[in-house]
Amino acid sequence: MSNNTGPTLGKRGLCWPVENNKTGDSPVTFTKPGSKITWLYNWSPHPTPGTQQLHFVPMQWNHVNADQLPSHCQRYRPSALLAFNEPELDSQSNMPVSLAVDTWLRHIHPLRQAGLVRAGSPGISSAPQGVTWLKEFLAGIRAQGSDVDFYALHWYGLELGHFYDYIWSTYYQLGPDKPVWITEFAPTNWDAANPLSKEHVERFCRESCKYLDGLEWVERYCFFGAMRDTGTVGKWARMLDDQGKLTDLGRIYRDE
């Protein structure tokens, strides 16, 4: 399996939860000839079965078992690595900046320094504290001679304009000298009982993907989500139905 994740690879990817394996769902559904989807991550350092046609990008979700990263990279030979999922949030990897800096310098910096992987920043949420956390983290690793190769951002909200404002603002706040991966994004009102309409979500997906495809500094992106149940994000954001077949949104994201 080739794992080229450089600029020549298509931008569009899947955030594919490992829980999909329990229902027998396979990312092969997204890989028919002509598919726009070229890569996948699953919030873990281990590849998802059935991803031979997609380029796998591992993630070190938090600090636990980070000492195993060298063996994972030797075994799977990825060319990019994602690090620490929304560490500024108590409900996610919940890592103080000091712990994240120490984990990075011990376990990720050596891989990057050896030229084995391109290392993405911790993936921050669009909550206000996300950028503040990441700026402190970047200052910490740069003071020790390290750096990231690209910024990883998440966004959830209502309107396209808000999404565009966030990615541009954050890009310039962090310093527009590195590419960006938007590894989670979707429109949502966080109301599973009364979610945004099907038309709203599908229009958002079509227009945002077209927009991101045209932004030179956006290197990769993943719309949320490639799963049967998207929870409070809203049912129209799911790309798989209750039988594991593509929804209309899934077909839009794969083909258009």
Side-chain angles (χ1 to χ4, degrees):
M1 165 172 59
S2 170
N3 274 308
N4 174 28
T5 53
T8 59
L9 186 67
K11 296 184 179 187
R12 196 172 304 182
L14 297 176
C15 42
W16 183 269
V18 294
E19 290 78 10
N20 281 359
N21 300 338
K22 298 176 182 178
T23 52
D25 298 327
S26 169
V28 170
T29 305
F30 291 89
T31 62
K32 78 175 188 65
S35 171
K36 299 291 185 67
I37 295 167
T38 59
W39 68 283
L40 172 150
Y41 81 95
N42 61 9
W43 290 278
S44 93
H46 304 287
T48 292
T51 57
Q52 289 81 3
Q53 298 179 58
L54 297 172
H55 301 268
F56 175 69
V57 178
M59 175 186 285
Q60 180 62 40
W61 195 83
N62 62 8
H63 62 289
V64 177
N65 296 325
D67 59 330
Q68 297 177 15
L69 270 178
S71 62
H72 295 324
C73 288
Q74 183 176 16
R75 180 177 181 183
Y76 304 126
R77 300 192 179 279
S79 61
L81 172 70
L82 299 172
F84 315 152
N85 188 72
E86 298 181 351
E88 78 284 5
L89 298 183
D90 293 347
S91 61
Q92 296 297 316
S93 63
N94 188 25
M95 297 176 70
V97 170
S98 58
L99 175 60
V101 168
D102 181 68
T103 304
W104 179 280
L105 294 175
R106 285 174 179 267
H107 304 298
I108 297 178
H109 173 69
L111 299 173
R112 180 177 183 269
Q113 189 176 43
L116 298 177
V117 294
R118 298 174 67 226
S121 77
I124 57 169
S125 74
S126 49
Q129 67 267 35
V131 172
T132 300
W133 189 100
L134 186 52
K135 284 183 173 181
E136 293 178 8
F137 170 84
L138 291 171
I141 64 169
R142 287 168 177 167
Q144 299 298 319
S146 190
D147 206 346
V148 303
D149 294 297
F150 55 90
Y151 302 125
L153 309 179
H154 299 173
W155 180 90
Y156 294 93
L158 292 172
E159 303 293 343
L160 274 168
H162 301 156
F163 175 52
Y164 298 161
D165 287 347
Y166 171 75
I167 62 173
W168 276 99
S169 171
T170 304
Y171 176 56
Y172 276 98
Q173 286 182 71
L174 296 174
D177 59 342
K178 298 184 184 298
V180 168
W181 290 28
I182 305 170
T183 48
E184 291 182 36
F185 74 104
T188 182
N189 59 7
W190 300 114
D191 185 350
N194 186 31
L196 297 177
S197 70
K198 182 175 187 287
E199 292 74 21
H200 182 109
V201 175
E202 291 177 1
R203 181 175 64 253
F204 188 105
C205 182
R206 282 190 173 100
E207 295 185 13
S208 62
C209 290
K210 181 178 179 180
Y211 184 79
L212 297 176
D213 285 339
L215 283 184
E216 183 179 0
W217 50 269
V218 173
E219 196 170 272
R220 305 279 179 270
Y221 62 81
C222 289
F223 194 92
F224 186 95
M227 57 203 72
R228 299 187 187 201
D229 184 0
T230 42
T232 56
V233 175
K235 65 181 182 180
W236 300 116
R238 66 178 189 160
M239 297 184 194
L240 297 175
D241 65 19
D242 291 340
Q243 288 72 47
K245 305 296 185 183
L246 287 182
T247 62
D248 289 343
L249 180 70
R251 284 186 287 274
I252 289 167
Y253 190 65
R254 183 189 67 181
D255 299 337
E256 295 188 12

